[in-house]
Amino acid sequence: MWEVLKDAVLDGLKILPFIMLIYVLMELIENARKKEKIEKALSGAGAPLVAGLLGAVPECGFAVMCAKLYDKGLIKIGTLIAAFISISDEGVVILFSRGEAVTALIVMAVKIVYAVAVGEIINLLFAKNDVIHVCPEKDECIECGERHEKGVDKYFWHPLFHTVKTFLYVLIINLAFGTAFYFIGEDNVIAFMSKSAALQPIFSAVIGIIPNCASSIMLAEGYIGG
C-alpha cells in the first residue's frame, strides 16, 4: 500500500507545475487586450484539429489545460472531446521505449484522425447552444463567479489556490484507483483479458477511461507482452 500512496503522490506532483502554469496563463488570457482574436483562435473551425494534434503529445497536463479552458468558456465541447480522445500519456512512451515505435505512431495517428472528426461533428451539432463565455472587464462575473483581482493575488495566490485544489482531486482519484488495482492485481486483470480476446476492446475501454496514467501503462505492457 505504501507504493500506491507514493505513486499517487508522484502522479499528482508531475503535473503540479503544469497546472500552476495553466492557471497563470488563464489569468493572462482573461486580461489580454485583444480578447476577440484569442477567443476566435480557441473556438474557430480548426480548433478540434489543434486540440487533436497537441493532445497526441505524451503529456497528461494538456488534458488538464483543455478542461480548464472549457470551464472558462474559452473552447467548445467538441474541441474538449477532441483533446480527450487524442490524449496520449506514458502508455505511448512505454511503446516507444520498448521498440514499438511503429505501433505507437499508428495509435497516435488513429487517435488524431478520430478525435478531429468527432470534435468537428460535435461542434457543428452544438454550434447554436455552445456559446463562448466572456467575463466582464470590471467587477465580479455573475455567471461564473470570477472576481477581478490584481497583482500578486491575481497572478500567484489565486492560481496557487486552484492548483492545490486540483492536485488534491488528482491525489484522491489516484489513491482510489491505485488501491483498487492493488487489491485486484494488474496480473489478474491482464490474465483475464488474455482469455477473453473478443471482449478485449470493451475491457480496455473501461480500463482506459480511468483517469490514471497507470491504466494506459498497464495496457501498453499487456500489448508488448502479447
Side-chain angles (χ1 to χ4, degrees):
M1 283 299 295
W2 167 247
E3 289 295 325
V4 172
L5 177 61
K6 185 178 73 172
D7 290 342
V9 173
L10 289 177
D11 279 347
L13 289 177
K14 281 192 299 184
I15 64 172
L16 198 60
F18 196 79
I19 296 174
M20 181 66 178
L21 176 61
I22 290 166
Y23 280 113
V24 173
L25 289 175
M26 290 301 97
E27 297 295 344
L28 292 173
I29 290 175
E30 288 179 356
N31 288 274
R33 293 181 179 180
K34 298 180 180 180
K35 279 188 175 181
E36 294 80 6
K37 290 185 179 180
I38 294 175
E39 289 161 7
K40 185 177 180 180
L42 293 171
S43 61
L49 175 60
V50 176
L53 290 172
L54 292 178
V57 178
E59 172 54 67
C60 297
F62 183 69
V64 180
M65 182 181 73
C66 288
K68 291 310 301 177
L69 286 172
Y70 179 75
D71 181 53
K72 294 288 185 179
L74 294 173
I75 64 175
K76 297 181 179 180
I77 182 65
T79 305
L80 176 67
I81 292 175
F84 279 6
I85 291 175
S86 69
I87 287 296
S88 299
D89 52 24
E90 281 83 352
V92 171
V93 177
I94 292 297
L95 290 175
F96 275 113
S97 65
R98 299 288 291 275
E100 294 285 349
V102 174
T103 300
L105 291 173
I106 291 175
V107 169
M108 293 169 69
V110 171
K111 281 155 64 77
I112 291 172
V113 173
Y114 184 57
V116 174
V118 172
E120 292 287 2
I121 291 172
I122 291 178
N123 276 349
L124 287 174
L125 292 175
F126 294 93
K128 295 182 179 179
N129 299 323
D130 205 355
V131 180
I132 299 300
H133 168 63
V134 182
C135 290
E137 296 184 1
K138 297 181 179 180
D139 303 320
E140 181 178 351
C141 179
I142 298 176
E143 184 175 343
C144 69
E146 285 292 320
R147 295 182 179 180
H148 287 272
E149 301 165 327
K150 296 181 180 180
V152 178
D153 287 337
K154 185 171 188 64
Y155 296 109
F156 181 75
W157 292 116
H158 188 256
L160 180 62
F161 170 75
H162 286 289
T163 299
V164 172
K165 185 169 68 173
T166 303
F167 168 75
L168 291 176
Y169 286 144
V170 172
L171 179 62
I172 292 171
I173 291 172
N174 283 343
L175 278 174
F177 286 113
T179 302
F181 276 121
Y182 175 80
F183 285 108
I184 296 174
E186 292 185 14
D187 292 338
N188 291 330
V189 175
I190 293 176
F192 178 71
M193 290 180 64
S194 65
K195 295 178 182 178
S196 310
L199 298 177
Q200 281 185 8
I202 298 176
F203 296 139
S204 61
V206 173
I207 294 173
I209 204 171
I210 297 174
N212 189 309
C213 295
S215 58
S216 61
I217 292 175
M218 185 184 71
L219 290 172
E221 290 288 358
Y223 171 77
I224 293 170

